[in-house]
Amino acid sequence: MKLEFENKEGLMCSKCRLLLEPGKAHITYLKSTFPVELLTCPKCGEVYVPEDLALGKMQEVEKNLEDK
Amino acid sequence: MSICPICKKRVPVERYQEGDKIYDRKICPEHGIFKTLVWEGEPSYKDWNLTPDNVKPQGVKTETVEGCPYDCGLCENHKQEACCVLIELTNRCNQHCSFCFANAQSSHQNISDRTYCESQELTIEEIKEIYEFLLEQSPDRPFNIQLSGGEPTIRKDLPEIIAMGREMGFPYIQLNTNGRKLADSREYVRTLKQAGLSSVFLQFDGLKDDIYLKTRGERLLDKKIKAIEHCICEQLGTVLVVTVVPKVNEDHIGEIIEFAIKKTPYLRGIHFQPVSYFGRFPGMPEMPGDDDRITIPKLIRNIELQTGGKVKKEAFVPLMTGHPLCSFHGNFIVGPDKSLTSLSDQSKRSCLCSKDTSIIRARNYIARKWSWQAYKKPLAESTEYNFSEWDDYIQNLKSNSFSITAMAFQDAWNLDLKRLERCRVHVATRDKRLIPFCAYNIIHREKNQ
């Protein structure tokens, strides 16, 4: 399946020095896992999490899982 | 420290273990020895009784003269800001329950008593002043509000009181009710929802009329079911509040949970309140014995046992923004097949990403869990990334969550002042004091009515 986004900014994996490529990653919260499309390193599989994602959806999930 | 249940004077207390049971023993020089059950069995007292994450109240109202629990409130010794503040709108009630924390007056009383009770109620102007005071005390994120009584739906201006609170800035207002008026009229429920009511805290002791005959003195199951139906029709989040009484409904916990799960997502949760011996309750021996108590660990084990293991005891964690011996909670996601997945994974439950204090997080938590949140199909925020399943997951967390919680109130026999000074459920009084709920019911209620 061809993914619909690309690495326009030329982001590289700091460890492998390779250009990140569009790929599928799996996000796991507690017992739920679901796939998302993110830029990943073709060698080590490291995933790039953009800032808006970290401060947006990720934080929203954390808030909803948060305890009192 | 505790108090003598007879003269209410402060007395020292000793906590000790007998087998797998933990007891408190106190001696009043005048009235003798009192022993009360605190804990029994698993989960263990040691594992549960963790150091809480308390937030000191912002305002001190009363001077320390006689010491805890007589100087409320709040005095400088109180260690915890409120999560929820109760406003008692009336002492009148349209039921006469055998068990009533507030010892509310029945409407069956004669007319002069009714008129007297009505004349003692907070006026709408006084309620506005209390709201203003509460906003001053919680400027960053206003307290959650519970409108209580008596039976608050007896007041004709209830929708106005709710709307005024929301307009003044309270994000979450819940109604503590027996549900009679909600059962009688769907339009009434709609009016409350339109006024801005966030959630209904519905007295619900079980699925058998025999239970209501014992706890409330009449058959009420049909009314409870009708009230729930009307709340569902109006998409008003509802929490079942179960007074758990030994030998009355302690064996019916599992079926109440099964019933509630079937009514999700509109039924947002169940809140168990093991019976406490203050206010009004049927004949009691001089001192409540072990069999008269439903302790937190016993309740947790009963939940696991009576749901056939569907809800496991590991799903529950202690309250950390109050005192751990006061309360527990478990969060779940309800699947399309009505299966439950626990979200209270104990090894991963601390989130450090929020800048809010623990008590503000707790207020938001309650507001999220107990209000109905419609499932909104997320709009695509990005054309570059596909996050549809992530969005689905967030929406699912919001609208299909279900909570099982409990609050073990204290009475004069088992009052532990270390717990009391960490209380996070306060009652707001006419003279703008905040009194921890148990202290209010044991010591201060009479003086304030």
Side-chain angles (χ1 to χ4, degrees), chain B residues 402-419:
Chain B
F402 180 76
S403 66
I404 301 177
T405 53
M407 183 69 81
F409 296 119
Q410 302 187 88
D411 51 43
W413 282 274
N414 64 6
L415 181 65
D416 170 0
L417 296 182
K418 279 189 182 160
R419 278 174 62 183

Side-chain angles (χ1 to χ4, degrees), chain B residues 356-395:
Chain B
D356 293 330
T357 61
S358 58
I359 195 65
I360 288 179
R361 293 203 305 271
R363 286 177 205 144
N364 288 331
Y365 167 96
I366 291 291
R368 268 197 319 270
K369 297 291 173 190
W370 286 353
S371 307
W372 156 240
Q373 299 191 57
Y375 187 97
K376 293 176 191 152
K377 192 68 190 164
L379 298 170
E381 291 167 22
S382 166
T383 52
E384 295 187 18
Y385 301 98
N386 180 1
F387 294 130
S388 59
E389 290 194 52
W390 200 326
D391 288 327
D392 265 352
Y393 185 70
I394 291 171
Q395 286 301 318

Side-chain angles (χ1 to χ4, degrees), chain B residues 211-229:
Chain B
I211 293 172
Y212 291 102
L213 282 169
K214 288 174 187 155
T215 56
R216 312 292 161 200
E218 56 182 312
R219 297 173 194 279
L220 289 171
L221 183 60
D222 286 350
K223 284 205 182 295
K224 303 293 180 187
I225 301 292
K226 204 73 191 168
I228 291 168
E229 278 174 17

